Amino acid sequence: MGKSEQLANYWLQKVDGKKDENWLVNRISTHEKDGAKVAQIRGEGTILSEEHDGEEDIITYRLCATFLVHKQHATYHEEEVHTHIARMRDGQIIHDERVEDGVQPHIQGLVVFESNDEDFDRQFSYDRRAAVQYAERWWNDYNPAYKKFEVDCTNYVSQCLRAGGAPMRGEPNRNSGWWFNGENWSYSFTVANALRWYLSGSTQGLRGKEVADARLLRPGDVICYDFEGDGNYNHNTIVVARNAQGEPLVNAHTANSRMRHWAYVDSPAYTENVVYKFFQIGL
C-alpha cells in the first residue's frame, strides 16, 4: 500500500469513527450543533514532500475536504484546505499534526489615512457577482498577476473587491488609500487590520458601511476578525452565499476555505473574546 492510500485510510477511520479530536470531526460537530447534517465528506490529499528520519518517514501533505451540508431545505458544499505533517513507521501513521494556520501579527506604527482627492469619484458600481465569481475561481489557487503572501487572507479579499470594480487610489503612498500596481501595494490591500480601518474610514471609492448583524450582509460583502479581542484585526473573509437561516457563508485564504460558516467557531484561532466587523461594500 502506497503512502497516499495509507493517509486516505487513516483519515477514513478518523472520520467514520469520530476518533480523537481533529478539524474534520470538529467541523461535523459544529454543523450538528447548528442543526445541520454533514451527509458526506470527500477528501483529496496531495503529498508535498517526503523525508526520512531513522526508521520514520516524514510526509508533508495538503488535505482538501469537501463537506456536503444539509440544513432545512438548503444543500451546499463547504470546502477547506490544511497542511499536515505525518510520521510513519513500518507502514503505520504514528503521529499526524496539522500545521498551524497563520494570522497576521500586529504591525506597530501602521497608520492608514485618507487622502483628500476631490477629483476622485465618490461613487462606484460594485459588481457583486463578479467579486463572488473571482472568489470562487481563486479560493484554493493563486492568481499569478498578484504576489502570494504566507498570510494571504486580505490580499485575496482585496483581489475579489477589485474584481468587483472597486477603484484603487493612493499610490504610491503605502499608508494611503487602497491600491496594488504589480510591484508594490498599500498596507490596506494586504494587511488585515489596515483593510478593516480603511473600510471604516473611506469616503471615496472603495468603502464599507458597518452593520451590526452578519445576516444583513450579502454576497460580496466583507467580514473582519479580531480573534483575541485586543483591537488588532488579523483575518478577513468575503461573503459568497447565505445558508437557509440567512447567515453568511464565506471564502478565505491562508487556511483556504470555501462556503465556510462565517463565525469560525471551530478555528484554532478562535477565542471567546473574538470581535467581528461586518461591512456592506459599495454603499
Side-chain angles (χ1 to χ4, degrees):
M1 182 183 297
K3 292 183 174 63
S4 296
E5 290 80 5
Q6 291 171 333
L7 289 168
N9 287 339
Y10 171 82
W11 280 106
L12 186 62
Q13 294 173 14
K14 286 275 190 181
V15 173
D16 284 350
K18 294 187 178 180
K19 295 172 58 178
D20 305 326
E21 183 173 318
N22 59 73
W23 65 274
L24 292 178
V25 171
N26 289 345
R27 182 57 51 82
I28 295 171
S29 176
T30 297
H31 280 299
E32 289 175 346
K33 291 177 182 177
D34 194 39
K37 177 182 178 182
V38 176
Q40 184 183 59
I41 299 178
R42 182 174 183 269
E44 293 184 2
T46 302
I47 293 178
L48 304 177
S49 66
E50 298 186 37
E51 301 177 24
H52 301 284
D53 182 13
E55 297 180 349
E56 296 181 1
D57 294 327
I58 303 174
I59 312 298
T60 301
Y61 65 99
R62 184 175 293 119
L63 178 63
C64 177
T66 301
F67 305 83
L68 180 62
V69 182
H70 290 313
K71 187 170 184 181
Q72 293 184 356
H73 302 296
T75 301
Y76 62 93
H77 283 99
E78 176 182 356
E79 298 179 89
E80 190 166 344
V81 181
H82 291 287
T83 300
H84 286 251
I85 298 176
R87 301 184 76 95
M88 292 185 177
R89 182 186 299 159
D90 298 328
Q92 299 294 321
I93 297 175
I94 59 174
H95 180 74
D96 184 274
E97 180 179 0
R98 169 178 154 182
V99 178
E100 185 173 351
D101 304 314
V103 294
Q104 286 187 323
H106 181 60
I107 300 178
Q108 296 291 339
L110 176 60
V111 178
V112 177
F113 61 86
E114 278 289 301
S115 62
N116 185 20
D117 184 355
E118 295 182 356
D119 295 328
F120 191 86
D121 289 338
R122 293 181 177 273
Q123 302 291 330
F124 78 97
S125 178
Y126 184 43
D127 188 339
R128 294 176 176 275
R129 181 178 181 182
V132 170
Q133 286 176 335
Y134 187 97
E136 289 286 85
R137 166 62 182 86
W138 296 104
W139 79 269
N140 195 28
D141 202 354
Y142 301 88
N143 187 339
Y146 293 89
K147 179 178 173 62
K148 174 185 174 183
F149 294 87
E150 182 177 353
V151 180
D152 200 59
C153 60
T154 304
N155 182 40
Y156 167 71
V157 169
S158 288
Q159 292 174 35
C160 297
L161 295 173
R162 188 182 181 193
M168 300 187 295
R169 64 186 180 89
E171 185 181 355
N173 191 331
R174 299 192 71 191
N175 283 297
S176 178
W178 175 82
W179 57 272
F180 172 89
N181 67 10
E183 298 180 353
N184 207 349
W185 48 86
S186 65
Y187 290 117
S188 59
F189 202 94
T190 61
V191 178
N193 198 48
L195 179 61
R196 173 261 183 272
W197 286 106
Y198 181 79
L199 291 176
S200 289
S202 178
T203 59
Q204 306 172 51
L206 172 63
R207 59 202 180 280
K209 176 184 177 183
E210 186 176 342
V211 295
D213 192 329
R215 289 170 294 183
L216 296 175
L217 300 180
R218 295 186 290 157
D221 288 333
V222 171
I223 302 177
C224 305
Y225 302 73
D226 172 6
F227 286 117
E228 296 82 13
D230 61 1
N232 176 52
Y233 287 77
N234 39 31
H235 188 53
N236 293 315
T237 65
I238 184 166
V239 178
V240 294
R242 292 190 288 189
N243 65 16
Q245 286 68 47
E247 295 194 16
L249 303 174
V250 300
N251 284 16
H253 266 195
T254 304
N256 294 355
S257 305
R258 176 178 178 268
M259 300 281 279
R260 182 173 183 172
H261 187 273
W262 67 270
Y264 269 64
V265 295
D266 58 352
S267 168
Y270 178 87
T271 74
E272 294 182 353
N273 298 321
V274 65
V275 177
Y276 307 98
K277 292 291 183 181
F278 309 116
F279 288 104
Q280 296 175 337
I281 300 299
L283 299 176

